[in-house]
Coordinates of all heavy atoms in Angstrom, one line a residue:
P203 N -56.4 60.1 -118.6 CA -56.3 59.1 -117.5 C -55.5 59.6 -116.3 O -55.9 59.2 -115.1 CB -55.5 58.0 -118.2 CG -55.7 58.2 -119.7 CD -55.9 59.7 -119.8
L204 N -54.6 60.5 -116.5 CA -53.8 61.0 -115.3 C -54.7 61.8 -114.4 O -54.7 61.6 -113.2 CB -52.7 62.0 -115.8 CG -51.6 61.4 -116.6 CD1 -50.7 62.5 -117.2 CD2 -50.7 60.5 -115.7
L205 N -55.6 62.7 -114.9 CA -56.4 63.5 -114.1 C -57.5 62.6 -113.5 O -57.8 62.7 -112.3 CB -57.1 64.6 -115.0 CG -58.1 65.5 -114.2 CD1 -57.3 66.5 -113.4 CD2 -59.0 66.2 -115.2
I206 N -58.1 61.7 -114.3 CA -59.3 60.9 -113.8 C -58.8 60.0 -112.7 O -59.4 59.8 -111.7 CB -59.9 60.2 -115.0 CG1 -60.6 61.2 -115.9 CG2 -60.9 59.1 -114.5 CD1 -61.1 60.6 -117.2
E207 N -57.6 59.4 -112.9 CA -57.1 58.4 -111.9 C -56.8 59.2 -110.6 O -57.1 58.7 -109.5 CB -55.9 57.8 -112.4 CG -55.2 56.9 -111.4 CD -55.9 55.5 -111.2 OE1 -56.9 55.3 -111.9 OE2 -55.4 54.7 -110.3
S208 N -56.2 60.3 -110.7 CA -55.8 61.1 -109.5 C -57.1 61.6 -108.8 O -57.2 61.5 -107.5 CB -55.0 62.3 -109.9 OG -54.7 63.1 -108.8
L209 N -58.0 62.2 -109.5 CA -59.2 62.7 -108.8 C -60.1 61.5 -108.2 O -60.8 61.7 -107.2 CB -60.0 63.5 -109.8 CG -59.4 64.9 -110.2 CD1 -60.2 65.5 -111.3 CD2 -59.2 65.8 -109.0
T210 N -60.1 60.4 -108.9 CA -60.8 59.2 -108.4 C -60.2 58.8 -107.0 O -60.9 58.6 -106.1 CB -60.8 58.1 -109.4 OG1 -61.4 58.4 -110.6 CG2 -61.5 56.9 -108.8
R211 N -58.9 58.8 -107.0 CA -58.2 58.3 -105.7 C -58.4 59.4 -104.6 O -58.4 59.1 -103.4 CB -56.8 58.1 -106.0 CG -56.5 56.8 -106.8 CD -55.0 56.6 -106.9 NE -54.8 55.3 -107.6 CZ -54.7 54.1 -107.0 NH1 -54.9 54.0 -105.7 NH2 -54.5 53.0 -107.7
A212 N -58.6 60.6 -105.0 CA -58.9 61.7 -104.1 C -60.3 61.7 -103.6 O -60.6 62.4 -102.7 CB -58.5 63.1 -104.7
G213 N -61.2 60.9 -104.2 CA -62.6 60.8 -103.9 C -63.4 62.0 -104.4 O -64.5 62.2 -103.8
A214 N -62.9 62.7 -105.3 CA -63.6 63.9 -105.8 C -64.6 63.6 -107.0 O -65.5 64.4 -107.2 CB -62.6 64.9 -106.4
L215 N -64.4 62.5 -107.7 CA -65.2 62.2 -108.9 C -66.4 61.4 -108.6 O -66.3 60.5 -107.7 CB -64.4 61.6 -110.0 CG -63.3 62.4 -110.7 CD1 -62.7 61.6 -111.9 CD2 -63.8 63.8 -111.1
S216 N -67.5 61.5 -109.3 CA -68.7 60.7 -109.2 C -68.4 59.3 -109.7 O -68.0 59.2 -110.9 CB -69.8 61.4 -110.0 OG -70.9 60.5 -110.0
K217 N -68.6 58.3 -108.9 CA -68.4 56.9 -109.3 C -69.7 56.5 -110.2 O -69.6 55.5 -110.9 CB -68.2 56.0 -108.2 CG -66.9 56.3 -107.4 CD -66.7 55.3 -106.3 CE -65.4 55.4 -105.6 NZ -65.2 56.8 -105.1
T218 N -70.8 57.2 -110.0 CA -72.0 56.8 -110.8 C -72.0 57.5 -112.2 O -72.9 57.2 -113.0 CB -73.3 57.2 -110.0 OG1 -73.3 58.7 -109.9 CG2 -73.3 56.6 -108.6
G219 N -71.1 58.5 -112.4 CA -71.1 59.1 -113.7 C -72.2 60.1 -113.8 O -72.6 60.5 -114.9
R220 N -72.7 60.6 -112.6 CA -73.8 61.6 -112.7 C -73.3 62.9 -111.9 O -72.7 62.7 -110.8 CB -75.1 61.1 -112.1 CG -75.7 59.9 -112.8 CD -77.0 59.4 -112.2 NE -76.8 59.1 -110.8 CZ -77.8 59.0 -109.9 NH1 -79.0 59.3 -110.3 NH2 -77.6 58.6 -108.6
S221 N -73.7 64.0 -112.4 CA -73.4 65.3 -111.7 C -74.7 65.8 -111.1 O -75.6 66.2 -111.9 CB -72.8 66.3 -112.7 OG -72.6 67.5 -112.0
L222 N -74.8 65.8 -109.8 CA -76.0 66.1 -109.1 C -75.8 67.3 -108.1 O -75.8 67.0 -106.9 CB -76.6 64.9 -108.4 CG -76.7 63.6 -109.2 CD1 -77.1 62.4 -108.3 CD2 -77.6 63.7 -110.4
P223 N -75.6 68.5 -108.6 CA -75.3 69.6 -107.6 C -76.4 69.7 -106.6 O -77.6 69.8 -106.9 CB -75.2 70.8 -108.6 CG -74.9 70.2 -109.9 CD -75.6 68.9 -110.0
F224 N -76.0 69.8 -105.3 CA -76.9 70.1 -104.2 C -77.9 69.0 -104.0 O -78.8 69.2 -103.2 CB -77.6 71.5 -104.3 CG -76.6 72.6 -104.5 CD1 -76.5 73.3 -105.7 CD2 -75.8 73.0 -103.4 CE1 -75.6 74.4 -105.8 CE2 -74.9 74.1 -103.5 CZ -74.8 74.7 -104.8
D225 N -77.8 67.9 -104.7 CA -78.7 66.8 -104.5 C -78.3 65.9 -103.4 O -77.1 65.7 -103.1 CB -78.8 66.0 -105.8 CG -79.9 65.0 -105.9 OD1 -79.8 63.9 -105.4 OD2 -81.0 65.4 -106.3
A226 N -79.3 65.3 -102.7 CA -79.0 64.4 -101.6 C -78.2 63.2 -102.0 O -77.5 62.6 -101.2 CB -80.3 63.9 -100.9
N227 N -78.2 62.8 -103.3 CA -77.6 61.6 -103.8 C -76.3 61.9 -104.5 O -75.7 61.0 -105.1 CB -78.5 60.8 -104.7 CG -79.8 60.3 -104.0 OD1 -79.7 59.7 -102.9 ND2 -80.9 60.7 -104.4
R228 N -75.8 63.2 -104.4 CA -74.6 63.5 -105.2 C -73.4 62.7 -104.6 O -73.3 62.4 -103.4 CB -74.3 65.0 -105.1 CG -73.9 65.5 -103.7 CD -73.9 67.0 -103.6 NE -73.4 67.5 -102.4 CZ -74.1 67.5 -101.2 NH1 -75.4 67.1 -101.2 NH2 -73.6 68.0 -100.1
D229 N -72.4 62.4 -105.5 CA -71.3 61.6 -105.0 C -70.0 62.1 -105.7 O -69.0 61.4 -105.8 CB -71.5 60.1 -105.3 CG -71.4 59.7 -106.8 OD1 -71.7 60.6 -107.6 OD2 -71.1 58.6 -107.1
G230 N -70.0 63.4 -106.1 CA -68.8 63.9 -106.7 C -69.0 64.5 -108.0 O -70.1 64.5 -108.6
F231 N -68.0 65.2 -108.6 CA -68.2 65.9 -109.8 C -67.8 65.0 -111.0 O -67.1 64.0 -110.9 CB -67.5 67.3 -109.8 CG -66.0 67.2 -110.0 CD1 -65.3 67.1 -111.2 CD2 -65.2 67.4 -108.8 CE1 -63.9 67.2 -111.3 CE2 -63.8 67.5 -108.9 CZ -63.1 67.3 -110.2
V232 N -68.2 65.5 -112.2 CA -67.8 64.9 -113.5 C -67.0 65.8 -114.3 O -67.3 66.9 -114.4 CB -69.1 64.5 -114.2 CG1 -68.8 63.9 -115.6 CG2 -70.0 63.5 -113.5
V233 N -65.9 65.2 -114.8 CA -65.0 66.1 -115.6 C -65.7 66.6 -116.9 O -66.3 65.8 -117.6 CB -63.7 65.3 -116.0 CG1 -62.8 66.1 -117.0 CG2 -62.9 64.9 -114.7
G234 N -65.5 67.9 -117.1 CA -66.1 68.5 -118.3 C -65.0 69.2 -119.0 O -63.9 69.2 -118.6
E235 N -65.3 69.7 -120.2 CA -64.3 70.4 -121.0 C -65.1 71.5 -121.9 O -66.3 71.4 -122.0 CB -63.6 69.5 -121.9 CG -64.4 68.7 -122.9 CD -63.6 67.9 -123.9 OE1 -62.4 67.7 -123.7 OE2 -64.2 67.4 -124.9
G236 N -64.3 72.4 -122.5 CA -64.9 73.3 -123.4 C -64.1 74.6 -123.3 O -63.0 74.7 -122.7
G237 N -64.8 75.7 -123.8 CA -64.2 77.0 -123.8 C -65.2 78.1 -123.7 O -66.4 77.9 -124.0
G238 N -64.8 79.3 -123.3 CA -65.7 80.4 -123.2 C -64.9 81.7 -123.4 O -63.7 81.7 -123.2
A239 N -65.6 82.8 -123.8 CA -65.0 84.0 -124.0 C -65.9 85.2 -123.8 O -67.1 85.0 -124.1 CB -64.3 84.1 -125.4
V240 N -65.5 86.3 -123.3 CA -66.3 87.5 -123.3 C -65.3 88.7 -123.7 O -64.1 88.6 -123.5 CB -66.8 87.8 -121.9 CG1 -67.9 86.8 -121.5 CG2 -65.8 87.9 -120.8
I241 N -66.0 89.7 -124.3 CA -65.3 90.9 -124.6 C -65.6 91.9 -123.6 O -66.8 92.3 -123.4 CB -65.6 91.4 -126.0 CG1 -65.5 90.3 -127.1 CG2 -64.8 92.7 -126.4 CD1 -64.1 89.7 -127.2
L242 N -64.6 92.4 -122.9 CA -64.8 93.5 -121.9 C -64.3 94.8 -122.5 O -63.2 94.8 -123.2 CB -63.9 93.2 -120.6 CG -64.2 91.9 -119.9 CD1 -63.3 91.9 -118.7 CD2 -65.6 91.7 -119.5
E243 N -65.0 95.9 -122.2 CA -64.6 97.2 -122.7 C -65.0 98.3 -121.6 O -65.9 98.0 -120.8 CB -65.3 97.6 -124.0 CG -65.1 96.7 -125.2 CD -65.7 97.2 -126.5 OE1 -65.4 98.3 -126.9 OE2 -66.5 96.4 -127.0
T244 N -64.3 99.4 -121.7 CA -64.8 100.5 -121.0 C -66.0 101.0 -121.7 O -66.2 100.9 -122.9 CB -63.7 101.7 -120.9 OG1 -63.5 102.1 -122.3 CG2 -62.4 101.2 -120.3
E245 N -66.9 101.6 -120.9 CA -68.2 102.1 -121.5 C -67.9 103.1 -122.5 O -68.6 103.0 -123.6 CB -69.1 102.7 -120.3 CG -70.4 103.2 -120.8 CD -71.2 103.9 -119.7 OE1 -70.6 104.6 -118.9 OE2 -72.4 103.7 -119.7
S246 N -67.0 104.0 -122.3 CA -66.8 105.0 -123.3 C -66.3 104.5 -124.6 O -66.6 105.0 -125.7 CB -65.8 106.1 -122.8 OG -64.6 105.5 -122.4
H247 N -65.4 103.5 -124.5 CA -64.9 102.9 -125.7 C -66.0 102.1 -126.5 O -66.1 102.3 -127.7 CB -63.8 101.9 -125.4 CG -63.1 101.3 -126.6 ND1 -63.4 100.1 -127.1 CD2 -62.1 101.9 -127.4 CE1 -62.6 99.9 -128.2 NE2 -61.8 100.9 -128.3

């Protein structure tokens, strides 16, 4: 609620609950969550 309330007041979040990147009808982003990982190495290793 802290994040959502703050971002809503800042006008950053979509009030329609839709994420429409580069679309003419976009009205902000939608909060997402998750994780990602990659293993980086030197080529020789």
Side-chain angles (χ1 to χ4, degrees):
L204 292 172
L205 180 74
I206 292 171
E207 176 75 5
S208 177
L209 290 175
T210 299
R211 289 183 176 274
L215 294 188
S216 168
K217 293 181 175 60
T218 63
R220 298 183 300 163
S221 178
L222 310 174
F224 303 110
D225 191 274
N227 298 304
R228 69 190 185 282
D229 70 335
F231 73 83
V232 174
V233 173
E235 63 173 11
V240 293
I241 308 300
L242 304 182
E243 299 185 57
T244 60
E245 181 186 36
S246 60
H247 186 264

